[in-house]
Amino acid sequence: MASKLYSLLALTCLLLPLFSFAVLAYPNRQTTSSPFEFLSKLKGFEKGNTAEEISQLRKYLNRFGYLSNNNIQTQDVNAFDDNISSAIKAYQTFFNLKPTGTLDAETVSKMMAPRCGVPDIRMHGNNKTNLDYAFFPYKPRWAPEQFSLTYAFPPDVTFFRAYVMAPVASAFETWRSVFPNFTFTLIKDFEEADLKISFQKRDHGDGDPFDGAGGVLAHSFEPTDGRCHLDVEENWVVGAVADGFDIGSIALHEIGHLLGLAHTSVQNVVMYPFFSPGMTKLDLSEDDRQGIKALYSS
């Protein structure tokens, strides 16, 4: 059976160019508005305003690392208070927006974009260059004796398994080409794999539920946890399809997290957290390359 699996992967890699625009849409996916749509109702809001949607804004800012748990529940969760204003400023500063502390049109547009669910909390990896690569707090990473990593998909990935395997294998190879100390080997046993890649839906037991199509696309855990979850309700595709998210591009980003890289604020970098439908990003930037080298050479 193992030989058949590897033969399937090899055949898929050969045929992938013929299906470079293949749609992997979740068969029961419902077309709904974005989970971040509530933000459109807050455009122009500033300190002193009130609205029911501000309680959702608190949860959003907490989820992505800009507001502490203590500030989610206050006496008036619907009030745009000092804590909200400070969190918005921090968000604007991170993404190189004017730090006004108000929900101007540019900020709202950025916040509504589909993105990776990993919080933007990070530790800068360099102080001597103009690169923006960063690490998770405390710099978790794989030990040298763990560099031969295995990865697997759960056995229930069926109807689009072949399409998923090839782009993910390519993403692993892209990272390996930059840091050859790593090897990534596909195995059958999901439970025994170092890196576990699976499609999940809504509340899937890791404390970070997905929110349906168009919001959080995926999230991964820092070393040495090894879990990578993708939201099965998204319109997953291979290649640049107008209304779909390219599985290879998202995999490349999420593998960066699995190896220990945090988010960057530079748009042309793989570790930038936002993704647009129809976008592909399959090549590592100098920022990504230097980041992984710096993490594992220090």
Side-chain angles (χ1 to χ4, degrees):
M1 182 62 72
S3 62
K4 290 182 179 179
L5 181 63
Y6 289 103
S7 296
L8 175 61
L9 177 57
L11 179 61
T12 303
C13 292
L14 290 173
L15 295 178
L16 188 60
L18 300 177
F19 297 99
S20 59
F21 299 103
V23 177
L24 310 180
Y26 176 60
N28 298 317
R29 187 173 71 93
Q30 301 296 315
T31 301
T32 60
S33 60
S34 165
F36 302 151
E37 187 65 32
F38 73 91
L39 290 162
S40 64
K41 300 179 181 179
L42 299 177
K43 188 179 298 184
F45 270 52
E46 58 186 10
K47 189 169 66 175
N49 292 144
T50 59
E52 291 182 1
E53 289 79 13
I54 290 177
S55 64
Q56 294 174 267
L57 174 63
R58 289 181 185 276
K59 294 176 181 178
Y60 178 103
L61 292 168
N62 173 261
R63 180 174 194 175
F64 298 119
Y66 298 95
L67 195 65
S68 71
N69 289 326
N70 293 334
N71 291 325
I72 298 179
Q73 299 295 331
T74 68
Q75 289 184 337
D76 188 355
V77 296
N78 297 328
F80 198 123
D81 56 18
D82 287 331
N83 292 323
I84 294 288
S85 182
S86 295
I88 294 294
K89 284 182 180 179
Y91 182 95
Q92 292 166 326
T93 299
F94 188 97
F95 291 110
N96 303 308
L97 303 172
K98 187 176 180 180
T100 62
T102 64
L103 287 173
D104 55 72
E106 189 175 11
T107 301
V108 170
S109 177
K110 176 68 67 179
M111 294 176 75
M112 290 181 67
R115 60 164 292 162
C116 171
V118 174
D120 299 324
I121 302 171
R122 62 187 194 161
M123 179 166 69
H124 276 290
N126 63 100
N127 297 310
K128 298 180 181 179
T129 74
N130 61 355
L131 300 176
D132 192 57
Y133 63 79
F135 314 132
F136 289 103
Y138 309 109
K139 293 178 67 174
R141 56 186 176 178
W142 298 91
E145 61 269 19
Q146 298 172 302
F147 283 178
S148 296
L149 293 167
T150 58
Y151 70 97
F153 303 93
D156 59 347
V157 178
T158 53
F159 87 100
F160 54 38
R161 183 184 183 95
Y163 289 112
V164 169
M165 289 169 62
V168 170
S170 179
F172 274 118
E173 174 58 24
T174 298
W175 282 107
R176 190 210 62 78
S177 69
V178 172
F179 196 73
N181 301 56
F182 279 115
T183 61
F184 304 103
T185 304
L186 174 67
I187 65 173
K188 286 179 56 181
D189 194 329
F190 182 75
E191 296 303 323
E192 289 298 318
D194 300 307
L195 308 175
K196 300 174 175 65
I197 304 167
S198 62
F199 288 83
Q200 304 288 343
K201 182 180 179 182
R202 305 291 171 145
D203 188 351
H204 49 281
D206 67 355
D208 191 11
F210 284 130
D211 48 17
V216 170
L217 307 174
H219 57 233
S220 297
F221 293 79
E222 62 197 46
T224 55
D225 183 295
R227 287 175 293 168
C228 172
H229 297 157
L230 299 99
D231 187 353
V232 75
E233 292 187 78
E234 301 296 345
N235 193 34
W236 294 109
V237 301
V238 175
V241 179
D243 62 346
F245 294 100
D246 175 50
I247 185 70
S249 299
I250 306 297
L252 193 64
H253 176 95
E254 297 302 326
I255 291 169
H257 288 318
L258 293 174
L259 297 179
L261 292 183
H263 284 153
T264 176
S265 61
V266 180
Q267 293 191 37
N268 63 347
V269 172
V270 162
M271 296 313 299
Y272 187 65
F274 296 100
F275 297 88
S276 301
M279 180 189 81
T280 58
K281 190 180 290 187
L282 300 173
D283 293 321
L284 297 174
S285 69
E286 186 63 19
D287 198 300
D288 302 307
R289 295 168 183 271
Q290 294 303 320
I292 199 67
K293 291 177 181 178
L295 178 59
Y296 285 96
S297 62
S298 58

